[in-house]
Amino acid sequence: MNKKDEALAKFVEVVKNLSSKEFEEKYVKDSKGLDEIERKEDQKDGACDV
């Protein structure tokens, strides 16, 4: 197995062990295409997170 395949296999194992909520918080984008970190940055700028 090459390094890319090994990294992918490790990532799959990590994702399998996440709860649905943890997965969404880390990997799912919202309707604006922002991840959790970017959304929090928007909130600091006064934007609404609705």
Side-chain angles (χ1 to χ4, degrees), residues 1-14:
M1 204 186 284
N2 66 33
K3 288 187 179 196
K4 187 175 181 179
D5 291 335
E6 289 175 19
L8 180 59
K10 286 179 185 177
F11 177 76
V12 169
E13 285 303 312
V14 167

